[in-house]
Amino acid sequence: MLSKEDTRRLAQLERQLRRDDPDFCARMGGGNFSVSSTTRPPLPLFIVAAVIAVAAIVLGAVGWWIAASIVAVWTVITLGAAVYRLRKQRAEKAFRQA
């Protein structure tokens, strides 16, 4: 197991190598640095959040308030996951361009 200092230094070397030669990292990283896995936006999560939001509205219109509130919380959690993935993707893209 690496010490904290060794882990920090290794991470620093990895970041430097990613900046200096991203093609090499993509070839040697076994897919860890591939662009294709991070370039796809989290569109399915946004669609799922929209469908769940519609379900919450329908449940609220029917009068099932407890179920509607539970589904609304589920919508917020799903939307939060989508936004988190989108922000993470944009940060990684900015990091690669730097």
Side-chain angles (χ1 to χ4, degrees), residues 3-91:
S3 68
K4 287 183 182 180
E5 179 62 28
D6 291 337
T7 304
R8 186 193 62 77
R9 179 69 180 141
L10 181 61
Q12 182 182 13
L13 289 171
E14 287 176 359
R15 284 191 302 270
Q16 182 178 357
L17 183 59
R18 283 184 206 170
R19 267 181 273 154
D20 294 345
D21 197 355
D23 293 332
F24 173 77
C25 290
R27 287 191 311 271
M28 300 309 235
N32 292 339
F33 306 115
S34 67
V35 177
S36 63
S37 67
T38 60
T39 57
R40 173 183 275 157
L43 186 61
L45 276 178
F46 284 111
I47 293 171
V48 168
V51 169
I52 296 171
V54 169
I57 292 170
V58 169
L59 288 172
V62 172
W64 295 346
W65 296 109
I66 295 173
S69 61
I70 292 170
V71 173
V73 169
W74 188 19
T75 302
V76 170
I77 291 171
T78 306
L79 189 59
V83 170
Y84 173 77
R85 284 188 56 195
L86 184 64
R87 291 184 70 182
K88 183 178 175 184
Q89 172 192 4
R90 287 184 180 171

